[in-house]
Amino acid sequence: MGDAPLPMADAHSLDALTEALRRLPGVGLKSAARMAFHLLQHDRAGALQLSTTLAQAVEQVRYCGLCHTFTESEVCSTCLDTRRDRTQLCVVETPADQAALERTGAYKGLYFVLMGKLSPLDGIGPHDIGLQKLFDRLGGAELSLQGEVFPAVKEVILATNFTAEGEATAHVIAQALRATDIRVTRLSRGVPVGSELEYVDLGTIAHALVDRRSAAG
Amino acid sequence: MGDAPLPMADAHSLDALTEALRRLPGVGLKSAARMAFHLLQHDRAGALQLSTTLAQAVEQVRYCGLCHTFTESEVCSTCLDTRRDRTQLCVVETPADQAALERTGAYKGLYFVLMGKLSPLDGIGPHDIGLQKLFDRLGGAELSLQGEVFPAVKEVILATNFTAEGEATAHVIAQALRATDIRVTRLSRGVPVGSELEYVDLGTIAHALVDRRSAAG
């Protein structure tokens, strides 16, 4: 009783669909029920398309061997782009953050996508994000992959979000690289503190790239 | 440029997934991108489950031959329930509205689920919702289905939402049934005007059921 369940007559597959939709981030019980109703009543073609694309994405999407972002190849096209400066590596939390930086047009180096951030409160430690893979990437000198040569990285630009977790993640990376010859910089504080890159206007991001500062380490 | 696209490196299946997620009601581009990221990074099992349940629901969910709600059988279990008063028919917009009425425990008749409401501004006319099917259901005298006998309906309770579209839908049904012997009632105005049934507290719904009034027609 009360406000909890929305039993959908005796359509068990509909209940199962509603349950599955609830696993999407930001989707509660009523949203899930509305989504299921919409798909079955108004957009069965969309439901089948979503079903197919989900299965295909799970099967085909893997991680770039070099930058750890989502790709369908061994190495993503951004890493293989010969016009990019392979001695610069910009570290971001997610592909969406990378896309935000790309849209500024102000950066021509390579990226490393952590696919998360350190967040002890959520139980996310160094082993749950791509930190070790980043250190492996930086540890080697010259790399050869897919017939391409990747020289040793000379500068790491920390572009994790300017939130508590993002700052902590940047701090851990800067500390770990302290003993190396790699120059470690951080996006300038032009980015408003407490906000997330994905939502910052492009001019601010471009400015922060130009004004990047030496990391405290 | 600008704030529009979030290209996800060269993972085409990921772009396709994001596009498919955008077809869900209430999901914009950034929500869709976040959902896709979440599923691929943190919950691939959930993605596969969603894919499977979508395909199964599309294949198995159809409409009850009697009340037009979602079911996997020819006639839903609510319609076949012999403890219910088969001379009463409560007309609602969606299965979620039906579920809200059921939770009150104050109604023991049958339902008819329109699966929508008249909404000329959205191009939804009488032929786009279950109106004709409702009139067919009410037109016949006694019905035999699945070895069960359904006597002629004596009362239709209009429980469409108390919004402009819901009121218009109720009005159209009341008008159409004017020439028949069927008693047509409307949930009492205990339900706050402008709100949707699904979100009303159970006590108010129960009260409105008891206080139902003769429809203006």
Side-chain angles (χ1 to χ4, degrees), chain A residues 102-118:
Chain A
E102 276 298 285
R103 283 202 300 275
T104 70
Y107 180 66
K108 292 294 170 207
L110 298 186
Y111 290 93
F112 189 90
V113 184
L114 292 170
M115 292 290 184
K117 62 201 166 203
L118 292 176

Side-chain angles (χ1 to χ4, degrees), chain A residues 13 23 41 49 63 72, chain B residues 13 23 41 49 51 63 72:
Chain A
S13 58
R23 292 175 77 154
Q41 178 66 13
Q49 193 191 344
Y63 298 99
E72 291 173 14
Chain B
S13 58
R23 293 175 75 153
Q41 178 67 12
Q49 193 191 342
S51 171
Y63 298 101
E72 289 172 14

